[in-house]
Amino acid sequence: DPKIIQKPKYLVAVTGSEKILICEQYLGHNAMYWYRQSAKKPLEFMFSYSYQKLMDNQTASSRFQPQSSKKNHLDLQITALKPDDSATYFCASSQERGGTGQLYFGEGSKLTVL
Amino acid sequence: GEQVEQLPSSLIVQEGASVLINCSYTDSASVYFPWYKQEPGKRLQFIIDIRSNMERKQNQRLTLLFDKKTKHLSLHITATQPGDSAIYFCSASINNNRIFFGDGTQLVVKP
C-alpha cells in the first residue's frame, strides 16, 4: 500500500511544453523532497521542503518550480521542457528536516520529452 | 559539495555467494549514511543505515562497516538470493536536508 503517491507514472511531452508532477504523502511527514534520476546522473537532489517552505534548492534552472498547496503535497512544475529534462522524478519524504533519518520514496514519474 | 563514489558499478554472482559493495565520500561533515535498494521499475527502499559515531551495523544478512578516518563504507551481503537483485545506492548526508547519492551498484544474483 504505497504511502507516497506520484502521478502520473509515465508522461510524454513535447519540447517547449509544461508539465506538473504530483506528489502526495500519507506518512505524516513534515519534510518532502524531489530527486531526479537519469542515465547521465543517477539520483540528483533537486529540492527540499519543510512545513511547506522551501529549504534547499539544488536546481539551477527556474524552469523547475515546486509547489506545496498542502502540508502533505509537493508538486513539481516544469516549464519550457527540453529533451534533457527526460528523467524519472522521485518524490520523497522524511519525518523531519535537519535530523537524520531515512527517506521514503515514491515510485517515480518517468518523463520523456520529445 | 559532497561526492559519493561506489564500486563496483555492477556485480553478477551465483545464489548463495557473498558480495561486498564499497562506498567512499569526501565531506568529513557527513554524519549519516543510509543505503537504499531499487528493484527494476520500483521505488527506492531503505535497507540499512549507519551514523558516524558507529563502526558497524548489522541487519540480518546485511552488514555495514564504516571507517570515519578513511571516509569509507562497505556493505556486505551474505547468502545472496535472486530477490536481492537490484541497484544498491550508498548515500551521505550532513543533515537530512540534502542527501548525496552514489551512482549505484547493480547486483544480479543468478539462481
Side-chain angles (χ1 to χ4, degrees):
Chain A
D1 185 25
K3 300 295 185 187
I4 300 184
I5 298 171
Q6 287 189 243
K7 299 174 189 175
K9 193 165 184 178
Y10 301 98
L11 65 166
V12 179
V14 296
T15 297
S17 66
E18 172 182 315
K19 290 292 180 186
I20 295 179
L21 310 182
I22 306 295
C23 178
E24 306 170 348
Q25 56 93 1
Y26 296 94
L27 294 162
H29 289 166
N30 296 309
M32 296 184 72
Y33 312 82
W34 278 102
Y35 281 83
R36 173 169 53 193
Q37 186 178 44
S38 66
K40 293 178 188 176
K41 200 166 185 178
L43 282 170
E44 181 184 11
F45 170 82
M46 299 180 73
F47 299 98
S48 70
Y49 264 64
S50 179
Y51 293 94
Q52 294 185 263
K53 291 184 181 176
L54 178 66
M55 291 295 160
D56 198 357
N57 177 358
Q58 185 70 357
T59 304
S61 173
S62 60
R63 296 186 299 107
F64 295 85
Q65 290 292 328
Q67 300 169 347
S68 182
S69 59
K70 298 179 188 178
K71 180 187 165 186
N72 68 328
H73 280 233
L74 185 64
D75 301 337
L76 181 64
Q77 180 185 39
I78 314 173
T79 58
L81 281 162
K82 302 177 180 180
D84 268 357
D85 297 332
S86 297
T88 300
Y89 292 81
F90 287 98
C91 176
S93 70
S94 65
Q95 184 65 33
E96 294 286 346
R97 171 201 168 261
T100 51
Q102 68 181 86
L103 296 181
Y104 292 81
F105 284 85
E107 291 191 331
S109 291
K110 185 172 182 179
L111 170 65
T112 302
V113 183
L114 303 176
Chain B
E2 173 68 282
Q3 292 182 26
V4 178
E5 291 191 5
Q6 276 183 248
L7 287 171
S9 58
S10 64
L11 276 172
I12 302 175
V13 300
Q14 210 63 37
E15 183 175 5
S18 294
V19 299
L20 191 69
I21 301 173
N22 293 294
C23 175
S24 61
Y25 64 100
T26 57
D27 195 333
S28 56
S30 290
V31 296
Y32 177 59
F33 306 89
W35 287 66
Y36 294 84
K37 169 184 175 181
Q38 185 182 28
E39 295 173 21
K42 302 285 186 183
R43 70 183 74 217
L44 280 86
Q45 287 184 302
F46 169 84
I47 54 173
I48 194 169
D49 61 1
I50 197 164
R51 300 181 194 276
S52 58
N53 59 355
M54 301 170 66
E55 293 181 350
R56 184 179 190 273
K57 190 170 185 179
Q58 185 168 359
N59 180 4
Q60 299 182 322
R61 295 183 294 109
L62 304 177
T63 301
L64 185 54
L65 301 177
F66 175 67
D67 188 331
K68 190 173 183 177
K69 196 172 179 181
T70 61
K71 298 191 188 71
H72 184 263
L73 299 97
S74 56
L75 177 67
H76 190 216
I77 308 174
T78 58
T80 52
Q81 305 163 0
D84 294 330
S85 297
I87 302 175
Y88 290 78
F89 291 96
C90 168
S91 68
S93 173
I94 297 171
N95 58 43
N96 224 33
N97 193 40
R98 190 188 301 190
I99 295 182
F100 294 89
F101 286 84
D103 289 348
T105 296
Q106 175 138 32
L107 172 64
V108 174
V109 181
K110 293 188 171 182

